[in-house]
Amino acid sequence: MSQVSLLNATPLSAARIASEEEALAVARELAAEFSEGASERDRERILPYRELERLAKSGLLAITVPVEYGGIDVSNAVLAEVTAILAEADGSIGQIPQNHFYILEALRHDGTEDQKRFYFGRALAGDKFGNALSETGTRTVGHYKTRITTDGPGFRINGRKFYSTGVLFADWIAIFALNEDEQLTMSLAPRGTEGIEIVDDWDGIGQKTTGSGTTILNDVAVPASAVVSHHKGFERPGTIGSVGQIIHAGVDLGIARAAFRDTVNFVRTRSRPWTDSGVERASDDPLTIAKVGQIAIRLEAATATLEYAGRKVDHAQIDQTDGNVVAATLAVATAKVLTTEIALEATSTLFELAGTASVREGLNLDRHWRNARTHTLHDPVRWKYHVAGNFYLNDVTPPRSGAL
């Protein structure tokens, strides 16, 4: 049976979200549920299979499907805020769908009409997409050893991937491989395809339950109908990288919010004032008040910048001129820098203000710092400063990349 005919054979099982307001409301409802077990999942490394099924059935994973294919195509500002809401509840759950939405954006750009109808239909049905992209042992993070070769009417893929975020939970695995012309392709294989081995070996200090382990590809057969010419998305102006990056920024913002929330709660209820402060409560310490205000202001600034960047990406999706795409790229890079910095600052400040009692293992408040430190390493923000500076100083257009 072909993939296109499978679309008609599988009934829809996910809810349909009708508006951006509903998407935000559903995200908040799920976040309240997911936050309850977040600390235990992190401490015991309990993978969130049940939570990901709830997320899929809620309809949130289809909110970026274009209107012409049955979706509501939410603003990227809303997509980023939905991500932040989920990440505040659980950083890992906030990150897992990032690749899912990146893949849908790649399909929007370079999928054939048949591919769009089928895979967007699967997203509407509640299917989850995970990625097999990054590799270790290559010359740079942008180089790949995984190969896709012609095999009769279809193809075969061989290689090994690491940081395969979301694959453990996915219904479809997006495998990125170089073809005979050294061009990057994206092939979508159903979970359980022969030759795909998924190894749950992610042992990072943070984002422990993202399932970002190893994917081994041993002579995996894929039909031509499942292969997308991903390289084309970076041969012309586009928003694949901006969409991927703004979601990462949303994850960092959510982690920062979680740390700030726990800082305020701890200082209000458990911290003691310093001996020389002259106050009865830690929450009345003027230096503590000022530091909390500083974090709150920077959180607001990061939130506003993220929303602004989302609108820039919206505009670039509608009108993909060089100027619009560059404006979106720079706005998202700005948001990514600010959310990275506030995530690291807020998660460290938690302990500075809450005091020694906050480092007890049973509280597991260090998960916020571990999550922030781990996720913000996804790509180096120091290069985003370089991209912005090089554009404004030397008129150098930002490179077209999945990391910008």
Side-chain angles (χ1 to χ4, degrees):
M1 182 179 290
S2 71
Q3 289 184 344
V4 173
S5 60
L6 275 172
L7 175 61
N8 297 323
T10 309
L12 298 179
S13 58
R16 289 294 186 98
I17 291 175
S19 67
E20 294 184 341
E21 293 75 18
E22 184 182 357
L24 291 166
V26 170
R28 294 187 188 102
E29 180 182 344
L30 289 176
E33 177 184 327
F34 296 163
S35 65
E36 292 184 7
S39 179
E40 181 184 5
R41 286 192 296 272
D42 172 85
R43 184 185 295 110
E44 304 298 330
R45 198 177 176 274
I46 301 170
L47 295 175
Y49 286 103
R50 184 187 69 82
E51 289 76 14
L52 263 293
E53 285 304 310
R54 288 276 291 117
L55 181 61
K57 290 183 181 300
S58 74
L60 277 181
L61 296 183
I63 59 175
T64 63
V65 171
V67 173
E68 59 267 33
Y69 297 97
I72 60 170
D73 196 12
V74 298
S75 163
N76 287 281
V78 172
L79 176 62
E81 180 60 22
V82 165
T83 301
I85 290 168
L86 295 174
E88 181 179 353
D90 185 314
S92 290
I93 292 176
Q95 182 185 349
I96 289 168
Q98 189 275 337
N99 291 296
H100 172 95
F101 289 116
Y102 178 95
I103 291 160
L104 294 185
E105 183 66 10
L107 283 165
R108 181 207 295 259
H109 267 257
D110 298 303
T112 66
E113 280 303 307
D114 283 345
Q115 287 171 336
K116 291 176 184 179
R117 282 195 298 271
F118 177 73
Y119 294 114
F120 287 147
R122 294 317 314 149
L124 289 166
D127 283 3
K128 304 177 293 296
F129 293 78
N131 99 91
L133 170 63
S134 297
E135 303 179 14
T136 57
T138 55
R139 185 166 62 87
T140 73
V141 296
H143 287 83
Y144 306 96
K145 294 180 180 178
T146 301
R147 294 283 170 170
I148 181 169
T149 55
T150 303
D151 180 40
F155 298 89
R156 295 275 177 177
I157 303 178
N158 287 277
R160 187 183 186 96
K161 300 289 188 175
F162 196 49
Y163 306 124
S164 306
T165 302
V167 165
L168 286 174
F169 316 98
D171 301 294
W172 297 89
I173 301 171
I175 306 168
F176 293 82
L178 295 178
N179 63 19
E180 290 95 335
D181 296 320
E182 301 295 315
Q183 297 167 325
L184 190 61
T185 65
M186 179 180 77
S187 300
L188 292 156
R191 182 178 184 85
T193 296
E194 185 177 356
I196 298 179
E197 180 184 357
I198 301 171
V199 184
D200 180 20
D201 59 355
W202 170 242
D203 61 355
I205 63 169
Q207 297 297 86
K208 287 186 173 183
T209 61
T210 57
S212 302
T214 298
T215 302
I216 301 169
L217 309 158
N218 184 20
D219 216 25
V220 178
V222 292
S225 62
V227 181
V228 179
S229 298
H230 189 54
H231 60 93
K232 291 182 178 179
F234 304 102
E235 294 171 355
R236 65 188 191 282
T239 54
I240 299 175
S242 292
V243 170
Q245 283 286 297
I246 203 169
I247 300 168
H248 279 306
V251 174
D252 293 333
L253 179 61
I255 294 170
R257 288 176 178 172
F260 181 71
R261 175 200 65 212
D262 285 350
T263 300
V264 170
N265 288 340
F266 204 97
V267 171
R268 280 177 174 171
T269 61
R270 302 186 63 168
S271 295
R272 295 179 296 170
W274 180 240
T275 305
D276 299 325
S277 66
V279 298
E280 296 295 323
R281 301 182 306 169
S283 59
D284 290 329
D285 181 334
L287 299 182
T288 297
I289 292 171
K291 188 66 175 181
V292 168
Q294 177 180 314
I295 298 296
I297 289 169
R298 291 181 179 176
L299 274 171
E300 283 295 307
T303 299
T305 303
L306 192 63
E307 181 178 358
Y308 173 80
R311 302 301 177 190
K312 288 286 189 179
V313 179
D314 293 346
H315 188 51
Q317 283 178 328
I318 295 168
D319 185 10
Q320 293 185 0
T321 64
D322 279 314
N324 290 341
V325 168
V326 168
T329 297
L330 292 172
V332 172
T334 301
K336 186 65 166 59
V337 167
L338 294 183
T339 54
T340 290
E341 292 178 350
I342 190 57
L344 295 175
E345 184 178 9
T347 55
S348 181
T349 298
L350 189 162
F351 300 105
E352 176 188 340
L353 298 185
T356 307
S358 64
V359 303
R360 298 182 65 180
E361 279 195 9
L363 297 173
N364 199 27
L365 293 174
D366 63 300
R367 74 183 186 278
H368 300 311
W369 181 87
R370 289 186 286 100
N371 287 342
R373 183 65 282 179
T374 299
H375 184 259
T376 55
L377 295 175
H378 181 272
D379 55 277
V381 295
R382 61 187 179 274
W383 276 99
K384 300 188 190 304
Y385 280 111
H386 177 271
V387 165
N390 216 15
F391 175 78
Y392 290 110
L393 187 62
N394 298 317
D395 295 321
V396 176
T397 301
R400 292 171 186 160
S401 164
L404 278 172

